[in-house]
Amino acid sequence: MTEEKKEQKHLQVLIHKVDQAIDKINTRIQKQSNEINDLKTHLQEHKRDMDHLEKNAVRESVYNVALQGDHSVDKKKRLLRLKNIPYFGRIDFKENTKKKPAPIYIGVHNFQDEESHQNLVYDWRAPISSMFYDYETGEAAYETRDGEVQGHISLKRQFRIRNGNMEYMIDSDVTIQDEVLQKELNQASSGKMKNIVATIQREQNTIIRNENAKHLIIQGVAGSGKTSIALHRIAFLLYKFKDTITSQDILIISPNKVFASYISNVLPELGEETVAETNMEEIAQQLFDYQMNFRSFYDQVAELLEKNNQKFIERIQFKSSVDLIKKMDDYLLFLENNGFKPIDIFVNKKPIPAWFIEEKFKQYSRLPLLNRFNEVVREIVNNVWMYYNYEVQGKERTELHATIRKMFPSTNLRKLYKGFYEWLGEPELLKTRKGNVFEYSDVYPLLYLKMKLEGLKPFTDVKHLVIDEMQDYSAVQYKILNKLFNCKKTILGDINQSVNPFSASNMDTIADIFTDAIAMTMTKGYRSTYEITQFTKKISQNVNVEPIERHGEEPKILKCKNEEEELNTIKNELKNWDTKKFKSLGIICKTQKEANALYDAIDQHHQVQLLNALSVAFGSGIVITTAHLAKGLEFDRVIVPFVTENNYKTPSDRQMLYVACTRAMHKLMLTYSKKPSTFINR
């Protein structure tokens, strides 16, 4: 019998065992359902004859059986996933202390024979499974609680199994990235990010299984799989520390709702519940109790791309800098030393000297500045009672609070923030928009001031924070996040993909704030073909990316006579799109105005989807969007229109063009009319 036939037989035997396990689970679920119904019927029929304790006992029984039922349903879901794709890898490993090698099949979930209690499939996160990613045939080892287990791998085999059918198997004497990785990378995209457990590379595995770093910073080039690796890292941590952390303890800060939807499939595929997701604007709104109006980051980027306003850029740069934090700390010190001006007052005609008020104000220096006034009032009230036997209450106490607060320039956050720029001697750096709406660059400086003046309630229920697109957050934002989330963090992004270079953070800035962080770099690009990667490297010449040896067509640059011909060219591309080979085509514009206009101009029988700031998801097919919203997404084919000299000329434009082109997996086309952008005119 050939090796392939042996593996086919092994697969069918395993699937039969999975079917048996599913049958048992179904019987158990039915039994639990019947038991719940019987208990509810019993309670309904005898509730008049039962006392309070008996009713509670029955209700508790219903609750416990329901919990068991939920557990059974979850187990059934895992078994159904297991039946579809039981495993993807096998290694034959012989421990040095044993005579024979044992076959170890590795899959998304663990599966055990209920009769022999033998592991038939090992979870990819299990310690023994790490050898599949870290070693080829030859000497190998893995860590256990009792120490290192050493031995020898005599066989390493990889499979592609779908719907219980083996599509291929490959014996691997080299690294995983070769034949199987090539096959996987050549697959068409889907509307959701896929798990990559079958093709995790050695350097990726090191990041995923890092359990010691308090803060892990991952700098990954475009297409390096950094977001996917972060999600697999979450799944690993949930497996490794299942007694102390659950999915409910994890929070992801993602750039937008579309991206959050795109990655939402990964953890459920890995057998874990989805985790909560938010963004920087939602965090700010929550901390402001939804009482502050401000423009969004999306609005800020759109304005930068549509208008080259130098004053606007200067405001963003200053408010995103480390220098702002230093200046604001100086301002707070000034308010501390010079802002509070106590005077002698009277309570019920009893004198309260200014020196006493000042002494009490300084006594509570550990508290945020505006929170000290309540303590000063409390001290005055206590002293009036102690020395004058008089109780201050009601209206008189309210007036006392007002009197003490008037000794400070203001307790209004907006006024104190405005006062900061006046104190700085640069009031023009604060510019509110119509309706007294703050610019986005003011949001986190305002929060920093609020944190120092009033304090911010930390997110103590979060045990692990994931921050994606790290380059798009400023030093001020990181300062606040570090204060709000006193937990382990995975911080990831690509310094070369900032959609706003004027507020971007680099690795040094982030590392200076998270001083105990470990930084890791991912330089291999897996998304795009070799030809596309080489093309994008010429756009952003600072990128150090190692392209995977997966070849395809050279990117096309099409010159058109005018915009009308350019539009017709794009329409023809849509007509000739091979939907059998490719599932997604992204038309990625620089601005939302361009995207909207192009969407209106394209015949709607193509079933084109438009993404904008209000979008919450996207699927396969034809999508028109902006580079800003496309970050983190990938498409089989990408068309970048309007790449003209006038449209792509600034540093921000260059970043956008780079982001747009690096979304392409298999094919890339750029179009222009008149003169091309200097970024592609080589």
Side-chain angles (χ1 to χ4, degrees), residues 51 170 177 285 436 458 514 559 624 629 664 682:
D51 61 24
I170 297 171
Q177 79 174 39
Q285 288 284 21
N436 210 18
F514 302 100
K559 179 180 180 180
I624 298 180
L629 287 177
R682 292 188 176 88

Side-chain angles (χ1 to χ4, degrees), residues 9 13 86 132 138 147 185 213 218 277 286 292 294 306 327 338 343 356 371 378 384 463 508 515 563 568 591 678:
K9 185 177 179 181
V13 170
F132 177 74
L185 293 176
I218 306 169
E277 167 276 328
Q286 187 175 341
M292 199 74 72
F294 53 81
E306 291 167 10
K327 298 287 188 188
N338 304 290
I343 58 173
F356 176 83
N371 292 357
R378 190 175 57 80
V384 168
K463 294 182 180 177
D508 291 339
T515 52
E563 287 191 5
N568 288 331
T591 68
T678 56

Side-chain angles (χ1 to χ4, degrees), residues 173 409 427 523-524 573:
D173 294 324
T523 57
K524 285 186 180 178
E573 288 293 323

Side-chain angles (χ1 to χ4, degrees), residues 563 566 590 594 641-651 653-654 657 671-681:
E563 287 191 5
E566 188 172 3
K590 189 180 90 168
E594 284 179 12
F642 318 124
V643 190
T644 64
E645 182 182 50
N646 289 329
N647 203 24
Y648 285 93
K649 57 186 177 183
T650 68
D653 297 340
R654 182 195 287 267
L657 185 60
T671 64
Y672 72 94
S673 59
K674 299 177 184 177
K675 285 188 178 182
S677 165
T678 56
F679 304 141
I680 61 168
N681 190 18

Side-chain angles (χ1 to χ4, degrees), residues 169-304:
M169 64 170 245
I170 297 171
D171 282 359
S172 180
D173 294 324
V174 288
T175 59
I176 298 171
Q177 79 174 39
D178 287 349
E179 199 166 348
V180 171
L181 182 58
Q182 290 285 351
K183 285 177 180 287
E184 290 299 320
L185 293 176
N186 279 314
Q187 296 286 321
S189 67
S190 67
K192 296 283 188 182
M193 181 180 281
K194 297 174 284 191
N195 80 70
I196 58 167
V197 287
T199 56
I200 291 170
Q201 305 298 288
R202 186 175 297 167
E203 72 274 12
Q204 295 173 330
N205 193 46
T206 302
I207 295 171
I208 289 168
R209 293 177 187 264
N210 185 318
E211 57 191 75
N212 298 317
K214 181 174 182 185
H215 306 310
L216 186 65
I217 302 174
I218 306 169
Q219 159 58 32
V221 295
S224 59
K226 51 192 172 291
T227 302
S228 185
I229 293 307
L231 294 170
H232 284 69
R233 174 168 157 76
I234 288 174
F236 171 76
L237 295 173
L238 289 170
Y239 173 88
K240 178 77 176 180
F241 302 105
K242 53 180 169 283
D243 294 333
T244 57
I245 189 169
T246 70
S247 299
Q248 294 178 341
D249 301 323
I250 296 173
L251 180 66
I252 298 176
I253 297 178
S254 62
N256 53 62
K257 294 293 183 185
V258 172
F259 184 68
S261 169
Y262 177 60
I263 67 175
S264 64
N265 210 45
V266 176
L267 286 171
E269 277 189 6
L270 297 173
E272 301 294 346
E273 295 177 21
T274 54
V275 300
E277 167 276 328
T278 189
N279 59 53
M280 295 298 279
E281 288 152 44
E282 288 178 355
I283 290 173
Q285 288 284 21
Q286 187 175 341
L287 294 172
F288 282 130
D289 294 323
Y290 303 92
Q291 299 298 310
M292 199 74 72
N293 294 321
F294 53 81
R295 303 181 84 221
S296 67
F297 182 59
Y298 183 88
D299 294 332
Q300 184 191 81
V301 173
E303 184 170 344
L304 282 169

Side-chain angles (χ1 to χ4, degrees), residues 3 34 164 198 207 268 394 423-424 504 659:
E3 282 296 305
N34 292 340
I207 295 171
W423 171 83
L424 204 59
V659 170

Side-chain angles (χ1 to χ4, degrees), residues 258-387:
V258 172
F259 184 68
S261 169
Y262 177 60
I263 67 175
S264 64
N265 210 45
V266 176
L267 286 171
E269 277 189 6
L270 297 173
E272 301 294 346
E273 295 177 21
T274 54
V275 300
E277 167 276 328
T278 189
N279 59 53
M280 295 298 279
E281 288 152 44
E282 288 178 355
I283 290 173
Q285 288 284 21
Q286 187 175 341
L287 294 172
F288 282 130
D289 294 323
Y290 303 92
Q291 299 298 310
M292 199 74 72
N293 294 321
F294 53 81
R295 303 181 84 221
S296 67
F297 182 59
Y298 183 88
D299 294 332
Q300 184 191 81
V301 173
E303 184 170 344
L304 282 169
L305 293 171
E306 291 167 10
K307 304 172 187 175
N308 190 19
N309 185 328
Q310 193 57 39
K311 293 292 184 183
F312 184 45
I313 291 171
E314 287 172 7
R315 293 198 297 274
I316 293 170
Q317 286 177 318
F318 175 68
K319 294 168 188 177
S320 304
S321 67
V322 175
D323 190 43
L324 171 99
I325 298 171
K326 293 176 182 175
K327 298 287 188 188
M328 200 164 270
D329 285 342
D330 289 343
Y331 174 61
L332 287 159
L333 186 62
F334 168 79
L335 290 177
E336 171 98 20
N337 295 330
N338 304 290
F340 189 61
K341 299 186 182 302
I343 58 173
D344 295 338
I345 62 171
F346 291 86
V347 176
N348 193 34
K349 299 182 181 179
K350 306 296 190 294
I352 308 296
W355 64 263
F356 176 83
I357 297 171
E358 184 173 15
E359 182 182 272
K360 294 306 173 184
F361 179 77
K362 291 179 178 178
Q363 183 180 321
Y364 290 96
S365 58
R366 70 185 186 279
L367 295 178
L369 205 149
L370 297 184
N371 292 357
R372 299 180 204 174
F373 302 137
N374 289 342
E375 300 304 319
V376 171
V377 169
R378 190 175 57 80
E379 291 282 358
I380 292 172
V381 169
N382 289 343
N383 273 266
V384 168
W385 171 256
M386 186 182 302
Y387 293 107

